[in-house]
């Protein structure tokens, strides 16, 4: 017995234009892949707006919606997703669909739908041209103000099998394409100097597919993992550039080992967004609770006008409101354009960074794709990160994109791009593969080594392989050494500063300022560093900086950290608090060679700033380090720091009983009732 019932519904029909011609042009295998790609885009657009696919029609779909506005929005989302796909596709035919929409009473029976609106939608789909949406006028009337896309009357066209004329409209879906703020990509995601991406076809398609679904109204998380140098950031850079080219917006942040402090990637992404999206009057929409964001960027009010103060409550509530405010900001940005959120090098994340990222992914807004990169070789050392990754895998639409070494086919592309003679490509490819195991960074470094005079001549396979050092770090050392001692010294100081460094900081540290720009340009020519703006530089890979630091003795490195810290303090004398986390890193690294009292002072200030930012776990770590720095610390100072540590442990959810006892013992030894009360 059938279960038939009547209800008012909106019907959508879609059809892939020219599918037979596409199949004839590209063959069955490619055509099947394109059909699957088309099916995913269309079905994602339907499901994102609460539609139900009734049936597949071979080259299209029939879907029903309980809301007229949802049906029209789905039609628009499908066309926009296909337009973005066509703009970014690197090869192959474009995909175009036509869509018809109608509404009225329909009979639902045996999983199918019947009635005049079904026929009307099907006939309008047949009538539409490529990239067109045709709809009966009544659909727009039912949608009302909830559908704000322009429509244009087309009269009452003759529809096969329908005798009663019905007014129809053409939906101008391109008028719905709202341009988001003009926010450029951050420099670390620029691919201007990286050349073409070799290999990674499958991995790139996984990310592109996730982005297409996101652009249609869905949301997703992708985890890109692999060893150092395997190309995680390079892969995401390729996606980010395609996203921007297709009208999307990228919010990105990195995590530097030991640098940046709590919430670093969100602070970096938010500041970059505000500086480019705000109006001349300092106005920018930062979501429902913009004042909460001042907890992580205290001077945000200097950039954005009218920010309220954050709400004061218990620490747990304040932490929740902060995480929710970040999610609200991302959701607000996604109203204007689909958003790609990039969190790079997550394996170094501070605990509170992990908390905010978890909250964002759990409550992920529509039209947002989060891509997280991390070293799978290092992630186990950070329990906060492993916990978040485990939690993310329990969420819907979270997938891993693991990167392994390139195969010989992809490496051959790198070898050919390096200008190796055709008759030696295979020999060089096999040698590079043997010594790099497909790691792209290692492979490129080895190619550059061979390119320094070793790619000419008639060297045989044995001689060629013998020219390749077993350690890539040795390649980097040789290239640095060829630049001379002055440039080596400069790059060593830069490595102490961090992967990103500025001419101003180097000039403040170096005793001899002459020729710094020339030396940096030599490093750029040697592909060791790259210019990212006026006076702003970056090592081409973190492994270059790590190699340079590996050549420096512990004593010399400590003294360099001390000089860097002093330079950063001078440069930020008017607002030291804004760089106190960075200073704490350098002072701690310089502690054996520095002023221990000053080190303790800076580290405690960094701990207090972390407390203000609700980063209690980071504060615990900083206060603990401050207590370890100076064994001869004055007793009263030790008592005060221990009291602050106990409070931080309590707020972080740790067992503070031992620390409380220590603080009380110190207070009693001092005979200080005030400290004893504070310890209790």
């Amino acid at each position: 017995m059938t279960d038939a019932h009547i209800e008012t519904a909106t019907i959508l029909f879609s059809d892939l234009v020219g599918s037979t011609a596409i199949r004839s042009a590209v063959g069955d295998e490619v055509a099947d892949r394109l059909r699957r790609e088309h099916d995913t885009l269309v079905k994602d657009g339907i499901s994102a707006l609460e539609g139900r696919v009734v049936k597949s029609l071979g080259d299209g779909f029939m879907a029903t919606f309980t809301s007229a506005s949802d049906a029209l929005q789905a039609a628009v989302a499908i066309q926009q997703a296909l337009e973005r796909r066509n703009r970014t596709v690197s090869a192959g035919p474009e995909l175009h669909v036509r869509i018809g929409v109608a509404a009225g009473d329909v009979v639902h029976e045996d999983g199918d739908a019947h009635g005049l609106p079904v026929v009307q939608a099907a006939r309008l789909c047949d009538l539409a041209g490529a990239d067109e949406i045709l709809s009966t006028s009544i659909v727009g009337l039912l949608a009302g103000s909830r559908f704000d896309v322009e429509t244009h009357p087309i009269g009452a066209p003759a529809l096969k099998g329908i005798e009663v004329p019905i007014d129809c409209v053409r939906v101008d879906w391109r008028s719905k394409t709202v341009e988001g703020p003009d926010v450029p990509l951050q420099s670390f995601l620029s691919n201007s100097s990286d050349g073409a991406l070799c290999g990674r076809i499958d991995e790139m398609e996984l990310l592109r597919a996730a982005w297409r679904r996101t652009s249609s109204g869905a949301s997703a998380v992708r985890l890109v993992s692999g060893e150092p140098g395997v190309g995680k950031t390079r892969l995401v850079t390729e996606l980010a550039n395609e996203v921007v080219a297709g009208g999307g917006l990228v919010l990105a942040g990195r995590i530097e080992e030991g640098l940046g402090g709590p919430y670093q990637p969100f602070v970096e992404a938010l500041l970059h967004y505000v500086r480019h999206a705000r109006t001349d009057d300092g106005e920018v929409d930062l979501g429902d609770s913009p004042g909460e964001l001042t907890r992580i960027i205290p001077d945000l009010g200097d950039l954005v006008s009218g920010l309220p103060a954050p709400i004061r409550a218990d620490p747990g509530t304040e932490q929740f409101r902060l995480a929710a405010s970040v999610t609200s900001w991302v959701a607000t940005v996604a109203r204007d354009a689909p958003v790609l959120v990039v969190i790079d090098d997550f394996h170094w994340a501070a605990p509170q960074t992990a908390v905010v990222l978890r909250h964002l992914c759990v409550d992920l807004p529509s039209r947002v794709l989060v891509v997280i990169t991390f070293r799978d070789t290092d992630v186990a050392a950070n329990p906060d990160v492993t916990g978040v990754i485990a939690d993310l895998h329990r969420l819907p639409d979270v997938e891993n994109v693991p990167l392994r070494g390139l195969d010989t086919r992809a490496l051959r592309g790198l070898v050919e791009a390096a200008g190796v003679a055709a008759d030696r490509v295979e020999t060089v490819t096999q040698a590079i593969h043997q010594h790099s195991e497909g790691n792209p960074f290692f492979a490129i470094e080895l190619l550059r080594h061979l390119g320094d005079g070793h790619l000419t001549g008639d060297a045989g396979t044995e001689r060629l392989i013998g020219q390749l050092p077993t350690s890539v770090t040795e390649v980097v050392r040789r290239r640095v050494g060829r630049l001379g001692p002055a440039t080596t010294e400069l790059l060593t100081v830069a490595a102490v500063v961090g992967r990103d460094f500025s001419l101003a900081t180097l000039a403040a540290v170096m005793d001899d300022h002459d020729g710094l720009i020339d030396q940096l340009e030599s490093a750029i020519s040697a592909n060791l560093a790259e210019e990212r703006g006026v006076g702003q530089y970056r090592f081409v890979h973190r492994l270059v900086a790590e190699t340079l630091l590996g050549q420096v003795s512990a004593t010399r490195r400590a003294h360099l950290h001390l000089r860097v810290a002093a330079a950063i303090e001078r440069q930020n004398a008017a607002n030291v608090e804004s760089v106190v986390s960075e200073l704490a890193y350098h002072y701690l690294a310089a502690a054996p060679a520095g002023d221990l009292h000053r080190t303790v002072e800076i580290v405690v200030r960094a701990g207090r700033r972390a407390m203000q930012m609700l980063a209690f776990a980071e504060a615990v770590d900083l206060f603990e380090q401050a207590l370890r720095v100076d064994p001869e610390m004055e007793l009263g100072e030790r008592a005060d720091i221990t009291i602050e540590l106990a409070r931080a442990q309590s707020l972080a959810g740790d067992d503070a009983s031992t620390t409380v006892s220590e603080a009380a013992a110190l207070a009693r030894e001092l005979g200080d009732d005030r400290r004893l009360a504070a310890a209790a």
Side-chain angles (χ1 to χ4, degrees):
M1 181 176 179
T2 61
D3 181 18
H5 64 282
I6 300 174
E7 68 177 9
T8 302
T10 304
I11 309 298
L12 181 149
F13 272 78
S14 73
D15 179 56
L16 176 62
V17 177
S19 58
T20 302
I22 291 174
R23 185 168 293 274
S24 297
V26 301
D28 288 339
E29 184 176 350
V30 175
D32 286 339
R33 179 179 61 79
L34 292 173
R35 175 184 53 76
R36 288 191 293 269
E37 183 180 358
H38 155 269
D39 290 355
T40 298
L41 285 172
V42 175
K43 288 193 289 188
D44 285 347
I46 292 169
S47 61
L49 274 300
E50 307 298 328
R52 181 178 71 88
V53 173
V54 175
K55 55 187 174 185
S56 170
L57 305 170
D59 296 323
F61 294 93
M62 171 188 169
T64 62
F65 295 80
T66 58
S67 162
S69 61
D70 283 349
L72 291 175
Q73 296 286 9
V76 170
I78 292 167
Q79 294 291 17
Q80 289 180 332
L82 284 161
E83 183 187 46
R84 282 189 289 269
R85 181 264 176 201
N86 292 337
R87 280 204 304 263
T88 58
V89 68
S90 57
E94 294 185 352
L95 300 178
H96 301 272
V97 301
R98 49 186 166 217
I99 296 174
V101 185
D105 285 349
V106 299
V107 177
H108 292 280
E109 186 174 7
D110 294 334
D112 205 346
H114 310 274
L116 183 60
V118 176
V119 179
Q120 291 171 341
R123 296 293 182 261
L124 285 172
C125 183
D126 293 340
L127 182 65
D131 304 327
E132 274 194 335
I133 303 171
L134 298 184
S135 167
T136 58
S137 297
I138 195 171
V139 176
L141 293 174
L142 290 171
S145 61
R146 287 186 295 275
F147 183 69
D148 58 355
V149 177
E150 295 180 11
T151 59
H152 305 284
I154 60 172
L159 302 178
K160 182 181 177 182
I162 300 176
E163 298 180 359
V164 179
I166 184 169
D167 290 334
C168 298
V169 297
R170 177 180 294 107
V171 178
D172 184 9
W173 58 269
R174 288 187 173 87
S175 68
K176 180 61 175 176
T177 305
V178 180
E179 292 296 332
D182 185 16
V183 180
L185 276 177
Q186 283 152 275
S187 59
F188 82 95
L189 289 177
S190 167
N191 64 3
S192 57
S193 61
D194 290 331
L197 181 69
C198 287
R200 306 303 187 206
I201 295 173
D202 293 340
E203 296 90 343
M204 196 65 213
E205 183 52 36
L206 286 173
L207 294 181
R208 285 180 178 135
W211 177 248
R212 288 193 294 267
R213 294 189 65 251
T214 298
S215 300
S216 299
S219 59
V221 177
R222 294 295 179 266
L223 304 167
V224 179
S225 60
E227 66 179 355
V230 80
K232 301 178 293 296
T233 304
R234 180 65 185 88
L235 182 73
V236 176
T237 291
E238 190 77 7
L239 176 67
N241 280 266
E242 291 185 5
V243 164
V244 170
L249 195 144
V250 177
L251 305 175
R254 301 158 295 176
I255 302 172
E256 295 284 343
E257 183 181 19
L259 291 170
Y263 313 106
Q264 182 191 357
F266 298 106
V267 170
E268 186 175 321
L270 179 57
L271 281 176
H272 182 77
Y273 175 79
V274 166
R275 286 167 178 157
H276 291 90
R278 62 178 178 153
T279 65
D280 293 339
D281 296 328
E283 294 183 355
V284 60
D285 191 349
L286 297 179
D288 297 334
S289 306
E292 302 298 322
L293 297 172
T294 61
R295 295 187 188 277
I296 61 175
I297 308 177
D299 54 354
L300 187 61
D302 297 337
L303 298 172
V304 181
S305 60
L307 287 182
I311 293 175
R312 299 299 174 187
D314 63 272
T317 299
E318 289 181 349
Q319 286 183 314
F320 176 81
R321 287 184 60 83
L322 172 59
S325 70
V326 172
T327 300
S328 177
W329 162 56
V330 174
T332 298
V333 176
R335 291 184 204 144
D336 290 338
V339 172
L340 169 65
V341 176
V342 175
I343 305 296
D344 197 30
D345 286 334
F346 183 53
H347 51 277
W348 282 319
Q352 285 311 119
T353 300
V355 168
V356 172
L357 181 60
R358 179 194 285 112
H359 189 286
L360 173 64
C361 294
V362 168
D363 196 21
L364 195 58
S366 298
R367 302 214 302 171
V368 176
L369 169 64
V370 177
V371 176
I372 304 164
T373 75
F374 61 92
R375 292 182 181 180
D376 53 10
T377 55
D378 294 8
V379 71
N382 191 333
D384 296 293
V385 168
T386 54
V388 169
I389 291 174
D391 290 344
L392 293 183
H393 280 114
R394 301 185 185 99
L395 302 176
D397 208 357
V398 175
E399 292 183 14
N400 289 324
V401 184
L403 299 189
R404 300 293 178 256
L406 297 175
D407 58 21
T408 54
R409 180 178 179 181
L411 286 176
R412 191 175 295 110
L414 287 176
V415 172
E416 291 171 345
V420 176
D423 61 342
R424 302 185 66 233
V425 164
E426 193 59 36
T427 299
V428 173
T429 297
Q430 294 301 324
I432 294 294
H433 186 266
Q434 175 183 342
H435 287 269
S436 70
E437 296 184 349
N439 183 293
F441 174 73
F442 295 172
I444 290 170
E445 291 302 301
L446 293 170
L447 276 169
R448 285 171 177 161
H449 167 71
L450 291 176
D452 293 334
H454 294 291
L455 286 180
T456 58
D458 299 320
T461 302
E462 291 184 5
R463 179 183 169 192
L464 176 64
I465 293 176
Q467 291 170 352
L468 292 174
T470 58
S471 170
V472 174
T473 57
E474 181 60 29
V475 173
V476 176
R477 290 192 190 102
R478 292 182 190 181
R479 283 204 286 124
V480 172
R482 284 195 289 269
L483 299 178
T487 302
T488 300
E489 167 72 6
L490 177 69
L491 292 178
T492 301
V493 173
V496 171
V497 175
R499 185 176 179 187
D500 293 273
F501 54 93
S502 69
L503 177 62
T505 300
L506 294 181
V509 174
M510 305 296 290
D511 295 330
D512 181 6
H513 296 180
D514 295 336
L516 291 188
I517 295 177
D518 290 341
Q519 292 167 16
L520 287 168
E521 288 179 347
S522 296
I524 292 170
S525 298
N527 292 304
L528 293 166
E530 54 193 355
E531 189 176 33
R532 291 291 189 164
V534 177
Q536 302 297 319
Y537 300 87
R538 189 174 196 239
F539 287 107
V540 295
H541 197 281
R542 196 181 309 280
L543 292 173
V544 175
E546 291 174 0
T547 298
L548 285 160
L549 290 175
Q551 301 179 86
V552 183
S553 68
T555 300
R556 178 164 173 72
R557 188 185 301 189
H559 281 278
L560 285 175
H561 275 290
L562 195 61
R563 288 162 57 187
V564 169
I568 293 172
E569 276 199 86
R570 288 195 300 271
Q571 290 175 307
N572 297 274
N575 188 14
V576 173
E577 291 304 310
S578 66
V579 293
V580 72
S581 295
E582 186 177 356
L583 286 174
Y585 165 75
H586 289 295
Y587 268 106
L588 284 168
D595 181 340
L596 296 185
H597 180 74
R598 178 61 172 165
T599 300
V600 171
E601 177 191 348
I602 289 293
V603 175
V604 168
R605 286 168 67 178
R608 290 169 181 163
R609 179 175 173 82
M611 292 287 285
Q612 293 170 354
M613 298 171 70
L614 309 179
F616 304 126
E618 288 86 345
V620 168
D621 183 59
L622 287 163
F623 290 139
E624 287 178 339
Q625 291 188 80
L627 289 170
R628 290 194 297 266
V629 164
D630 185 4
E632 305 301 323
M633 185 187 303
E634 190 267 333
L635 199 60
E637 185 178 15
R638 181 172 295 278
D640 290 337
I641 298 173
T642 304
I643 290 169
E644 293 193 80
L645 170 60
R647 180 169 180 267
Q649 288 175 329
S650 178
L651 291 172
D654 299 339
D655 181 4
S657 58
T658 300
T659 307
V660 169
S661 298
E662 292 174 358
L666 290 168
R668 282 192 291 270
E669 185 176 349
L670 288 164
D672 191 325
D673 292 338
R674 180 188 60 81
R675 287 190 171 108
L676 187 59

